Amino acid sequence: MNLILFGPPAAGKGTQAKRLVESRGMVQLSTGDMLRAAIASGSDLGQTVKGIMERGELVTDEIVVALIEARLDEAEAAGGAIFDGFPRTVAQAQALDAMLARRGSTIDRVVRLKVDDEALKARVAQRYAEQGRPDDNPESFRVRLEAYNRQTAPLLPYYEGQGKLVEIDGMASIDAVAGAIDTVLADA
Ligand code: AMP
């Protein structure tokens, strides 16, 4: 079972992915987490992406596709991946389809967490106050939302065309969203 958790920044993808790791033993593949780890380690990759991420822009498709490819065998062996924050462009989605096809695998479901922009801004303002994540500042968050709307939202018709897209109310409580995701996975 391979699942994409889809939605704008701060929609709750990471929270739900971590719960699925606990409950199902699936592997969470978060390109944002991988890139933050690269920055924390001080690697060349980290230095390349630091400024881009802090501004709220997307890093190149090549970088994130390579990060995902390096983890796919492990995820397949564990019984499946939860893709969190990847793919974010149509080119990334096409690369993912090709990488999975080479392994005789596929994306089973794409779960879109729908949250309106005002609620996202409120969530991020709170997270910025509590955690100080650099790209949660208001200007970077504006850029991140714009990147979502311009580069990532066009993936919705891509997955709808494949009959894989399911929409969930991401404004509901964490438990209610989790229950809705479980229902989707039970039907998959
Ligand atoms: P996230 O934690 O998923 O919100 O990602 C944080 C930042 O990492 C994004 O704003 C981008 O700068 C970068 N990033 C994460 N995943 C991707 C991706 N799939 N494609 C391009 N950039 C990404």
Side-chain angles (χ1 to χ4, degrees):
M1 162 74 65
N2 289 308
L3 168 72
I4 295 175
L5 286 179
F6 193 94
K13 303 185 295 292
T15 301
Q16 296 298 333
K18 287 187 174 62
R19 192 192 56 89
L20 289 168
V21 170
E22 294 280 314
S23 62
R24 294 179 178 254
M26 296 168 78
V27 171
Q28 177 189 8
L29 296 182
S30 160
T31 39
D33 285 352
M34 295 177 208
L35 293 165
R36 280 184 288 276
I39 292 172
S41 77
S43 66
D44 288 351
L45 171 63
Q47 287 173 30
T48 303
V49 299
K50 187 168 188 287
I52 300 169
M53 284 178 72
E54 284 180 0
R55 288 194 297 277
E57 297 163 5
L58 296 188
V59 309
T60 65
D61 293 332
E62 289 72 17
I63 287 175
V64 286
V65 167
L67 288 172
I68 289 289
E69 176 134 52
R71 299 284 304 279
L72 269 188
D73 290 343
E74 171 204 335
E76 290 286 306
I82 308 146
F83 295 95
D84 163 11
F86 179 93
R88 266 173 151 101
T89 65
V90 172
Q92 291 176 24
Q94 290 168 338
L96 178 59
D97 279 349
M99 291 188 289
L100 289 173
R102 281 199 292 277
R103 291 166 170 80
S105 188
T106 190
I107 293 295
D108 297 287
R109 286 287 182 277
V110 179
V111 174
R112 175 189 185 189
L113 302 180
K114 288 184 77 173
V115 181
D116 68 46
D117 284 3
E118 289 312 310
L120 294 174
K121 283 178 195 153
R123 284 184 191 185
V124 166
Q126 191 184 347
R127 191 166 73 181
Y128 189 50
E130 287 169 3
Q131 300 172 17
R133 183 174 141 174
D135 58 350
D136 278 345
N137 75 73
E139 172 57 16
S140 297
F141 189 68
R142 188 191 63 72
V143 175
R144 288 163 69 199
L145 260 189
E146 194 181 287
Y148 173 78
N149 288 322
R150 198 161 42 85
Q151 291 167 276
T152 306
L155 280 176
L156 291 167
Y158 179 85
Y159 286 117
E160 194 166 28
Q162 294 185 0
K164 294 175 177 173
L165 184 66
V166 185
E167 300 196 335
I168 285 181
D169 175 13
M171 308 276 284
S173 69
I174 291 175
D175 284 348
V177 173
I181 293 174
D182 285 341
T183 304
V184 169
L185 294 184
D187 290 346

